Amino acid sequence: MRNRPSSRLLIVTPKRQILLFRFAHRTGVLAGKIYWATPGGGVEQGETFMDAAIRELREETGIHEAHISGPVDRREVPLQLPDGERVLAVEQYFVVNTDTESISRDGWTADEIEVMADHRWWSREELSATTETIYPEGLIAMLDEAGVFGV
């Protein structure tokens, strides 16, 4: 199993809400799988984790004005990619403070357009109450430890 380094973004507004995308896989080995997850993606050749975080922020949200700090957490989890490959996701999490809740899909790839069905800004209370699948597991504890919710 190969390592797949990736940068994940904990994008938070002054109202202390975090951005998650709803992934709905309609085809392939992940067909039928639906979950909410943080924005982010793989580290490309020659990039650092921070470089990837900045690029992913722009590509997936269109946000260019934000303060990025971190990494605030690191995780290694087995993951199955949409093409069926199983990898060890080596993830670093970055806190992104932004003043906007407006996002743009202009930088999305065809694969992202196909599976990223929606987005939503979540409060701590909403995350605590939901029965929907949220990734990463333990997101609230991670956000609390990073001081995102002011805890």
Side-chain angles (χ1 to χ4, degrees), residues 9-13 17-19 39 57 61 63 94 96 98 121:
L9 308 173
L10 306 172
I11 304 173
V12 63
T13 68
Q17 293 180 313
I18 182 164
L19 177 65
L57 176 66
T61 70
I63 296 172
F94 295 82
V96 179
T98 183
W121 295 92

Side-chain angles (χ1 to χ4, degrees), residues 1-108:
M1 187 178 332
R2 75 175 173 92
N3 284 359
R4 181 183 181 268
S6 66
S7 293
R8 308 302 305 175
L9 308 173
L10 306 172
I11 304 173
V12 63
T13 68
K15 295 181 197 172
R16 299 196 186 278
Q17 293 180 313
I18 182 164
L19 177 65
L20 297 178
F21 285 111
R22 182 174 171 268
F23 289 77
H25 296 272
R26 293 180 207 90
T27 61
V29 296
L30 299 179
K33 189 167 173 105
I34 298 172
Y35 55 91
W36 292 88
T38 58
V43 175
E44 294 179 356
Q45 185 73 26
E47 280 186 323
T48 65
F49 281 92
M50 179 60 86
D51 293 338
I54 293 166
R55 178 182 48 75
E56 289 290 342
L57 176 66
R58 291 179 180 152
E59 289 176 0
E60 292 192 357
T61 70
I63 296 172
H64 292 269
E65 298 295 323
H67 178 264
I68 301 176
S69 61
V72 296
D73 203 346
R74 182 184 191 281
R75 300 206 175 169
E76 293 185 7
V77 293
L79 178 71
Q80 185 172 23
L81 300 176
D83 68 3
E85 180 184 9
R86 294 187 182 277
V87 297
L88 181 64
V90 179
E91 302 174 331
Q92 288 189 15
Y93 288 81
F94 295 82
V95 173
V96 179
N97 291 292
T98 183
D99 290 333
T100 184
E101 291 182 17
S102 177
I103 71 162
S104 169
R105 298 176 180 208
D106 291 346
W108 287 15

Side-chain angles (χ1 to χ4, degrees), residues 109-127:
T109 65
D111 290 339
E112 289 167 338
I113 290 167
E114 183 177 328
V115 299
M116 291 166 66
D118 199 3
H119 76 278
R120 178 176 165 191
W121 295 92
W122 296 73
S123 68
R124 186 182 198 288
E125 293 74 26
E126 291 166 332
L127 283 173

